[in-house]
Amino acid sequence: MAENNYGAGMDVIREDRPRVSIKFGKRLVGKPFTSKNGKELVEVKIPNQDPADKRSWETFVVSPAMLHENANGKSVWMSLPEDGTTKVSRSVRQGQDENGKTIWNNESRMVSNTELKSMVEAYKEKDRDSVLTDLSAKKTDAAKTEHAAPKRAARPREAAL
């Protein structure tokens, strides 16, 4: 069985299959809710990889028992079968009704668990400039503005006291 639909009641996970661990911040985990079939579930948000993408974030649903808190208390991790798939959804604006109320619809797709890992952990792939290069650039900018600004005359020591 390659497909895993955890929201539909798949509680038994075979441990002999290769697994993929997904690590993400606690702030991406929503509040627990009860599904139509009585299962306790939690929604996990996936931030958009492109900062210019202003669409709503994609989400997936898992059992809260699958989420484990890291020792630092700020992040969680979960383990999924490597060859499985997960349903990912996004709210999409469809238009407005005659009263001017916005009509929303869900857009869903199936992604492999390895692709899900890369989507959730995309923040790790962000291009981050070195702190030292940023600092040196700020120093050169500060030095340029310092030379351009007129210097104040030093006050006599007696007047300062």
Side-chain angles (χ1 to χ4, degrees):
M1 179 191 238
E3 184 176 327
N4 292 319
N5 192 350
Y6 296 105
M10 178 153 181
D11 295 328
V12 179
I13 300 172
R14 290 183 25 211
E15 296 297 327
D16 58 342
R17 296 187 346 194
R19 316 232 0 119
V20 62
S21 291
I22 304 173
K23 300 170 185 82
F24 48 93
K26 273 180 147 179
R27 65 180 177 80
L28 298 178
V29 179
K31 294 181 180 174
F33 65 94
T34 306
S35 68
K36 292 179 185 176
N37 62 359
K39 297 277 184 189
E40 187 78 13
L41 299 172
V42 67
E43 184 178 61
V44 179
K45 299 174 191 164
I46 306 171
N48 294 329
Q49 294 179 6
D50 182 14
D53 188 0
K54 300 300 180 191
R55 297 180 298 169
S56 62
W57 289 0
E58 289 184 304
T59 61
F60 63 97
V61 178
V62 294
S63 169
M66 294 180 66
L67 297 176
H68 308 283
E69 191 171 324
N70 279 348
N72 63 12
K74 295 181 183 177
S75 59
V76 293
W77 64 274
M78 62 184 286
S79 181
L80 297 172
E82 189 173 0
D83 60 346
T85 58
T86 303
K87 183 178 180 180
V88 177
S89 307
R90 177 193 309 256
S91 294
V92 179
R93 185 176 155 181
Q94 293 296 318
Q96 293 183 344
D97 63 3
E98 59 276 352
N99 297 332
K101 186 177 178 182
T102 304
I103 300 171
W104 293 92
N105 198 1
N106 279 342
E107 176 183 278
S108 299
R109 62 189 176 111
M110 296 300 285
V111 296
S112 68
N113 289 341
T114 52
E115 184 182 352
L116 180 68
K117 176 183 173 76
S118 67
M119 290 167 59
V120 174
E121 295 182 353
Y123 67 92
K124 293 180 180 179
E125 298 170 7
K126 253 189 205 177
D127 183 29
R128 297 183 180 170
D129 292 333
S130 170
V131 174
L132 295 176
T133 57
D134 288 348
L135 184 61
S136 64
K138 287 181 181 180
K139 281 184 180 179
T140 56
D141 289 345
K144 288 178 185 176
T145 58
E146 184 178 306
H147 294 302
K151 293 189 176 185
R152 295 184 192 173
R155 291 190 293 184
R157 188 163 214 199
E158 296 82 30
L161 297 175

